[in-house]
Amino acid sequence: MEKDNMDLKKTEDAVAFGSSNGYYNNPLLLSSAFDFSCEVEKSSFMELLGVQDYYNNSGAVLDLPQLSKATVFPFTTVNASCDDTAKECSEVLNQKHQPATPNSSSISSASSEAVNDEHNKTVEQDDDDDDDDSEEDEGEEEQLKAKKTKQKRQREPRFAFMTKSEVDHLEDGYRWRKYGQKAVKNSPFPRSYYRCTSASCNVKKRVERSFTDPSVVVTTYEGQHIHPSPVMPRSAIAGVGSNLGSLMPGNYMSHYHQHRHHHQQLLVNTLFSLGIPYNNSNNIDNSSFSQDNGLLQDIVPSHMLKEK
DNA sequence: CGTGTTTGACCTGCGC
DNA sequence: GCGCAGGTCAAACACG
């Protein structure tokens, strides 16, 4: 498990990069959270998405038929058991998440700011192994106590992605119930808090509009769904929605694989919400998903994985 | 009536 | 200790 954490930490080094390709002129900026743990996977994944061009360690310019172009940033991977304090993590990330191209486009910096800002807030978790989720629900005092302790100890892994969209709450294949809204300091746009409506699923998400670029929506997910997406298309369900991340107990997969799975799921959900088939340029038949493992290779043709 | 949203109050953590 | 900001709760409300 510790090794997994280390791997995940490495992926946190991913930086939100600006692109010199003027992607901000494109109708859609899609920035998502992927932890490409190795170059093979990264290239394969992007190839899968129909990426025409990508750069090592930088944002990739996607050339998707339905989108014109979009940019994917690998960022905001948060491991679930970082022992460091949030402060320490934030400091590290602050240093590392400087735009690679300082003179990149305005939206790039704006996005990066948003990302960094989000990231700073995102990288806060504790590693309480002594968690016992025993909660007595007798007596209001006990409830309150439980609430307090629970709130303090539990912090699910979070990650964010940014989407250029006119609507704040993007359809991602799951049903959400809004449970709060707060004004954000230094921003005219409020932050909305949503919770997955599925029983016993504690996934939350925050949605806020970047004040530096009001056309960009920053969505932050916390936790992982323990159920299939109720409204996912069959292809996506076959590829992601019904895989281990949905069907297996949370502790079955390593954190690492859970993250990978979740990021894939996020991408697929996001692309789906935008009307983009995630396998648009590949002949991936559903049979290949029948025994997936929630891993990248489950949605990437095998020949891609062989490429080095 | 069930489901989801709104919104003010409250709690918590953090910096000073 | 105090103030602030983020996050959550829950009653009231809206809507189909």
Side-chain angles (χ1 to χ4, degrees):
Chain A
M1 194 59 85
E2 283 183 10
K3 187 175 185 301
D4 289 339
N5 294 340
M6 288 180 65
D7 288 341
L8 281 168
K9 278 183 184 177
K10 284 180 188 172
T11 66
E12 286 182 359
D13 293 347
V15 180
F17 285 101
S19 163
S20 58
N21 290 26
Y23 61 81
Y24 56 92
N25 288 325
N26 299 319
L28 182 124
L29 167 71
L30 172 68
S31 176
S32 195
F34 310 107
D35 56 332
F36 295 108
S37 59
C38 69
E39 195 58 36
V40 173
E41 292 184 0
K42 180 179 176 179
S43 60
S44 300
F45 201 58
M46 292 178 175
E47 189 177 341
L48 173 73
L49 294 171
V51 175
Q52 301 293 318
D53 191 11
Y54 71 90
Y55 309 93
N56 290 339
N57 303 319
S58 71
V61 177
L62 303 187
D63 199 353
L64 303 175
Q66 296 88 339
L67 291 182
S68 177
K69 284 186 178 178
T71 298
V72 167
F73 297 123
F75 80 101
T76 320
T77 298
V78 181
N79 70 57
S81 46
C82 174
D83 287 330
D84 299 333
T85 65
K87 189 180 176 183
E88 284 168 339
C89 287
S90 296
E91 283 169 357
V92 171
L93 291 165
N94 270 335
Q95 291 168 4
K96 293 183 177 178
H97 283 242
Q98 300 305 316
T101 52
N103 53 351
S104 56
S105 65
S106 58
I107 192 171
S108 169
S109 60
S111 301
S112 298
E113 279 173 18
V115 168
N116 287 336
D117 186 43
E118 190 58 43
H119 206 135
N120 293 344
K121 286 176 279 183
T122 300
V123 186
E124 44 170 286
Q125 60 273 139
D126 35 32
D127 184 21
D128 296 356
D129 292 332
D130 54 340
D131 277 4
D132 59 333
D133 293 320
S134 60
E135 288 177 22
E136 326 294 344
D137 39 8
E138 318 144 25
E140 294 175 9
E141 278 186 41
E142 298 243 358
Q143 268 189 338
L144 264 175
K145 248 186 203 174
K147 249 185 227 170
K148 286 176 184 175
T149 53
K150 187 179 177 183
Q151 186 165 16
K152 187 176 181 181
R153 70 165 85 115
Q154 286 199 344
R155 185 54 89 192
E156 296 285 333
R158 298 188 202 169
F159 43 91
F161 69 84
M162 298 162 54
T163 310
K164 194 159 191 171
S165 170
E166 291 180 5
V167 292
D168 287 354
H169 192 193
L170 293 165
E171 180 57 57
D172 61 3
Y174 289 91
R175 297 182 63 191
W176 302 91
R177 184 174 58 83
K178 189 174 184 177
Y179 67 90
Q181 176 171 311
K182 286 287 289 185
V184 181
K185 192 190 172 191
N186 295 328
S187 172
F189 308 106
R191 173 182 300 144
S192 297
Y193 300 87
Y194 296 88
R195 189 171 283 151
C196 182
T197 59
S198 181
S200 74
C201 181
N202 290 324
V203 178
K204 297 170 194 170
K205 80 171 175 182
R206 297 185 326 204
V207 178
E208 63 184 287
R209 203 164 273 283
S210 169
F211 76 96
T212 53
D213 181 1
S215 64
V216 171
V217 174
V218 180
T219 306
T220 305
Y221 286 85
E222 178 175 334
Q224 298 189 41
H225 295 284
I226 57 172
H227 56 92
S229 165
V231 289
M232 284 289 281
R234 69 245 156 260
S235 60
I237 287 174
V240 174
S242 67
N243 68 10
L244 296 179
S246 303
L247 300 178
M248 284 197 165
N251 58 1
Y252 190 91
M253 287 189 288
S254 69
H255 279 175
Y256 174 73
H257 286 152
Q258 286 182 40
H259 276 270
R260 287 177 58 186
H261 155 67
H262 202 145
H263 293 172
Q264 293 159 22
Q265 180 174 330
L266 264 184
L267 173 66
V268 172
N269 289 351
T270 304
L271 293 179
F272 165 62
S273 73
L274 297 166
I276 307 158
Y278 71 93
N279 57 347
N280 65 65
S281 60
N282 295 280
N283 296 323
I284 305 175
D285 60 341
N286 285 353
S287 63
S288 66
F289 298 126
S290 57
Q291 46 186 342
D292 64 53
N293 292 310
L295 303 177
L296 185 69
Q297 56 259 39
D298 300 325
I299 59 173
V300 175
S302 57
H303 74 272
M304 289 185 183
L305 295 173
K306 290 173 186 171
E307 297 171 4
K308 284 254 174 183

